[in-house]
Amino acid sequence: MSEFNSRIEAQRRIVQIVNSIPWLEELFGLSSKAIQRWIAANRVDPSSPIVQLIKRAAAELFFLADQSQDQISAEYISAAERVAEIASALELQMRF
Amino acid sequence: MILHIYVFGSLCRGEVSRNSDVDLLALVDGFDSRFNPDSYSIYSYGRIKELWMEGNPFAWHLSKESCMIFSSDETDFIKELGKPSTYENCIRDCEKFRSVFLRGREQVIGGSASTIFELSTIFLSMRNIATCYSLGVLNVPCFSRDAALRLGSESAPIPLSAFQIFERSRILCTRGEGIALDSSEIAQVIPILDDLDVWMATLVAKARSNERIQLQN
């Protein structure tokens, strides 16, 4: 799978985890504006662990988007691993 | 710190509509916290040079449709890069975006709870495959948001109303703006996914055929 497709897949996983429970309005994406809209529409506490995890995942994915496709650095790999860890933590949060 | 800021995209083509935003590009030398990634496409100088070397469609987009609005050193970095390398990854890119489409379609048909996100990825795949095809095969690059509708007889076989539903999904996903889709609108686009699949498969096949012809010549 290409690096581009992997990034979309990582976004998909985060969005799917959040939308695994019914909200008044689903999370549409991981841009800051989409996250802000989701927070407002569902009256979610912006300081809640769920919001913090979503924002961290978004930040890591933006970092990945600007990296060279040819030079996959150790920093890149660790960012990709952090997104996977955030997804697992988010899954755990969604259970409670 | 060296810094260049450009406007690019629809504004440089003179295409203005209520839906169009202002695409801004910041070229920076290392991390610069002043730039919000929601408002700017932020690239390092090294990354932009790489895109130029590989003939990436985004490099072609910037070379044809960007205007500098600030330079910290009085140079026009993009202009000085000259013409990007020949675009040679058309088949690979078209296949890549087709696979993005297929995953999105699979999710929508499977009843995903994230339908708007999935329709947004489908819009992205439509636009990008059309841009890559226009650049790599037609040699008349189209970087417009509605590139899929601007390929003449090879345009996506999709009514404008359905196209606008996909576009709205993309805007909801990226800008968080607009009215969320209702179930009737989602139902309206699902039957079109098969037509889009055939369209994309045809573009990929034509890109392959085009490369074979070029290799023979």
Side-chain angles (χ1 to χ4, degrees), chain B residues 51 54-62 87 93 97 131-132 135 143:
Chain B
L51 295 177
E54 67 189 53
N56 185 288
F58 187 54
W60 279 99
H61 188 178
L62 293 176
Y87 176 46
D93 288 347
F97 294 122
T131 291
C132 292
L135 177 62
F143 303 105

Side-chain angles (χ1 to χ4, degrees), chain A residues 4-5 8 11-12 28, chain B residues 94 96-112 114-131 145-149 156-158 162-171 173-174 181 185-186 188-200 203:
Chain A
F4 178 85
N5 296 51
I8 292 190
Q11 284 181 55
R12 172 174 287 120
F28 300 135
Chain B
C94 286
K96 177 172 76 180
F97 294 122
R98 180 158 187 252
S99 85
V100 169
F101 165 78
L102 291 173
R103 275 292 282 152
R105 183 182 76 148
E106 177 185 271
Q107 295 293 319
V108 172
I109 291 172
S112 168
S114 309
T115 316
I116 290 175
F117 172 82
E118 300 300 346
L119 295 178
S120 156
T121 67
I122 289 172
F123 180 81
L124 178 71
S125 68
M126 284 166 58
R127 185 183 66 188
N128 288 4
I129 201 170
T131 291
R145 286 181 72 82
D146 56 1
L149 301 181
I158 174 172
F163 181 84
Q164 287 168 337
I165 291 172
F166 287 110
E167 186 179 33
R168 264 174 60 203
S169 301
R170 186 71 193 154
I171 292 170
C173 179
T174 54
L181 305 185
E185 289 171 315
I186 293 166
Q188 189 184 332
V189 296
I190 287 177
I192 291 164
L193 297 177
D194 286 343
D195 298 333
L196 286 176
D197 185 23
V198 173
W199 172 67
M200 286 196 185
L203 292 191

Side-chain angles (χ1 to χ4, degrees), chain A residues 2 4 7-8 13 22 25 34-35 38 41 47 49-50 52 54 57 61 66 74 79 83 91 96:
Chain A
S2 79
F4 178 85
R7 277 206 319 274
I8 292 190
R13 182 164 179 219
E25 188 173 89
I35 296 169
W38 176 79
S47 63
I50 291 174
Q52 296 312 307
I54 295 169
L61 285 162
D66 189 36
V83 175
E91 249 169 353
F96 301 102

Side-chain angles (χ1 to χ4, degrees), chain B residues 67-80:
Chain B
C67 301
M68 190 173 75
I69 52 178
F70 177 76
S71 169
S72 64
D73 62 1
E74 296 182 4
T75 66
D76 186 333
F77 184 80
I78 284 182
K79 197 171 177 184
E80 288 182 6

Side-chain angles (χ1 to χ4, degrees), chain B residues 4-24:
Chain B
H4 292 83
I5 301 174
Y6 293 82
V7 61
F8 67 99
S10 56
L11 212 55
C12 295
R13 291 190 299 273
E15 284 175 16
V16 183
S17 74
R18 285 181 178 271
N19 270 344
S20 55
D21 55 357
V22 178
D23 294 312
L24 294 168

Side-chain angles (χ1 to χ4, degrees), chain A residues 13 16-23 49-50 53 85-96:
Chain A
R13 182 164 179 219
Q16 279 183 343
I17 292 168
V18 174
N19 291 334
S20 63
I21 64 169
W23 299 97
I50 291 174
L53 287 166
E85 284 168 13
I86 293 166
S88 300
L90 198 52
E91 249 169 353
L92 207 60
Q93 280 292 328
M94 299 302 289
R95 289 185 199 160
F96 301 102

Side-chain angles (χ1 to χ4, degrees), chain A:
Chain A
M1 188 186 288
S2 79
E3 181 265 341
F4 178 85
N5 296 51
S6 299
R7 277 206 319 274
I8 292 190
E9 212 51 55
Q11 284 181 55
R12 172 174 287 120
R13 182 164 179 219
I14 300 293
V15 171
Q16 279 183 343
I17 292 168
V18 174
N19 291 334
S20 63
I21 64 169
W23 299 97
L24 287 172
E25 188 173 89
E26 68 192 68
L27 177 63
F28 300 135
L30 293 182
S31 66
S32 295
K33 288 173 183 170
I35 296 169
Q36 287 307 322
R37 175 170 171 149
W38 176 79
I39 290 169
N42 296 289
R43 298 186 182 175
V44 179
D45 177 1
S47 63
S48 69
I50 291 174
V51 172
Q52 296 312 307
L53 287 166
I54 295 169
K55 286 184 173 177
R56 272 180 51 205
E60 297 288 359
L61 285 162
F62 275 115
F63 167 82
L64 293 175
D66 189 36
Q67 300 309 298
S68 165
Q69 293 183 20
D70 301 325
Q71 299 165 353
I72 303 296
S73 62
E75 199 178 359
Y76 180 97
I77 292 166
S78 59
E81 286 171 352
R82 281 197 296 276
V83 175
E85 284 168 13
I86 293 166
S88 300
L90 198 52
E91 249 169 353
L92 207 60
Q93 280 292 328
M94 299 302 289
R95 289 185 199 160
F96 301 102

